[in-house]
Amino acid sequence: MKPEVSIATPVFWTDSPMYQLMKVDFGMFTYNADTRTHWFKPGMEGMFLGVYFELLGKIVAVAIFNGVILDLPFPSCLWRRMCTGDETVGLDDMREIDADIANGLQQLLDFDGDVQETFELTFTHDAEEYGMLVSKSLKPGGAEIPVTNENKEEYVRLYVNHVINELPQREIQEFIKGFKKVMDGRALQLCTPKEL
């Protein structure tokens, strides 16, 4: 006799078909061992994996709709964005993605010395692409604008928004598009970000 399956049947992470998509070496996500969360890896030029993100969004929506519990270690800002459309992010959201970066930014905010002279930062974000360091401006002319005691809060706000919302913008959009093709409208409005 076949055992009865409950509505909330847990799927073991390594048995899940999503396991392959979530693996860091597949190239879609980064994983932070300290926060134990996955985050979207921004696509480099010519390396956009949109169809896979859309597929993953559909799989997640089908699982939620059918009451299947999946271990998806995404930060709460993603679920909040899916439920409410709110893209506002802050240091608490950054802590869920990368606590080291968040702590460094908090130290910058708390620093009471001369920020410009000590840190020599500009309104840019540096990231490695194809083994080369690429610098992107956080606002127009950002490479020429020094971070000072007066504008360090703006720098932190723009930096966090850039890392969480702007860099992986296409990837997040495809994931949400796939999710909402399966579960949207009233069904999604019944859920809270914490429940998802």
Side-chain angles (χ1 to χ4, degrees), residues 89-91 105 109 123 138-139 151-163:
V89 290
L91 272 180
L105 293 171
L109 290 174
F123 276 75
L138 300 177
K139 66 180 188 175
N151 65 16
K152 64 184 178 181
E153 289 182 13
E154 179 190 13
Y155 170 78
V156 169
R157 181 177 48 78
L158 292 174
Y159 190 97
V160 168
N161 184 64
H162 182 73
V163 170

Side-chain angles (χ1 to χ4, degrees), residues 2 11 13-14 17 27 29 79 90 100 118 124 138 141 156 175 179 187-188:
K2 189 174 179 181
V11 174
W13 181 238
T14 55
F29 295 95
W79 305 116
D100 290 337
T118 305
T124 56
L138 300 177
V156 169
F175 177 80
F179 186 94
L188 187 56

